[in-house]
Amino acid sequence: MRTRTSSITDELLKVRMGGTGALYATEQMIDHDYSIDSADDKRRENYIKLIKASIKNLKEFMEKFNNRDFTNFVLKLERELLKDLEEQFYYEELSDNIRHEMRAHIIFSRERLAKESNEVDTGVIDKVFRGLK
């Protein structure tokens, strides 16, 4: 039994389908990451509300308790919690920026792959027609 040798068209299709498949899989992972981030944003909003309410309650208790050591503790804790929130916002922004860049790169790569595939197809068709003349 003879096996069919692969043609240039077969090879082009393998490359095109491989590239398209890789881009699709990466895009799906990015979409999944967006979903996870959305759920995490909701969790973070609740965390921020809880932290702010806790700080408010501690400050009210601090004023009633009127103890220097406790006041120092509450003020230090407040600074640390607010610093933690700022760091969370910073890293969230970095994560969002990378995700947006990846999304833009996928779109660019998909468009580039389509353009290059069309150029190759046009070149192959042109050579075939020139060979027929």
Side-chain angles (χ1 to χ4, degrees):
M1 178 187 299
R2 270 180 26 168
T3 57
R4 182 177 163 277
T5 59
S6 67
S7 68
I8 186 77
T9 304
D10 294 333
E11 295 304 314
L12 289 171
L13 282 173
K14 282 182 193 175
V15 170
R16 184 178 300 154
M17 294 304 289
T20 302
L23 290 172
Y24 178 78
T26 305
E27 186 173 23
Q28 292 302 304
M29 285 186 269
I30 292 169
D31 288 344
H32 187 64
D33 191 42
Y34 272 114
S35 298
I36 292 169
D37 183 62
S38 177
D40 188 47
D41 287 346
K42 290 175 187 164
R43 179 207 56 82
R44 187 178 303 102
E45 287 173 15
N46 290 333
Y47 174 75
I48 291 168
K49 287 177 187 174
L50 175 68
I51 292 297
K52 288 182 177 182
S54 297
I55 289 171
K56 180 182 176 224
N57 291 338
L58 272 173
K59 283 187 160 186
E60 288 172 2
F61 186 71
M62 174 187 79
E63 290 172 10
K64 290 177 185 173
F65 194 56
N66 198 19
N67 177 285
R68 188 172 54 103
D69 290 336
F70 186 70
T71 298
N72 289 338
F73 167 77
V74 169
L75 295 176
K76 182 178 180 187
L77 181 62
E78 177 185 26
R79 282 191 307 271
E80 293 298 321
L81 290 172
L82 293 176
K83 180 182 172 189
D84 179 59
L85 290 178
E86 284 181 31
E87 287 178 2
Q88 285 189 41
F89 286 129
Y90 172 74
Y91 288 110
E92 175 68 17
E93 185 177 6
L94 287 178
S95 178
D96 288 347
N97 289 342
I98 288 173
R99 193 177 310 103
H100 297 319
E101 284 181 36
M102 288 189 309
R103 164 74 72 198
H105 181 71
I106 292 293
I107 291 168
F108 170 79
S109 296
R110 187 177 33 231
E111 290 170 355
R112 190 173 106 203
L113 179 62
K115 180 181 178 229
E116 289 173 355
S117 293
N118 287 337
E119 289 171 359
V120 169
D121 291 346
T122 301
V124 168
I125 291 169
D126 188 47
K127 285 183 181 180
V128 167
F129 280 122
R130 271 194 256 143
L132 293 176
K133 289 182 183 181

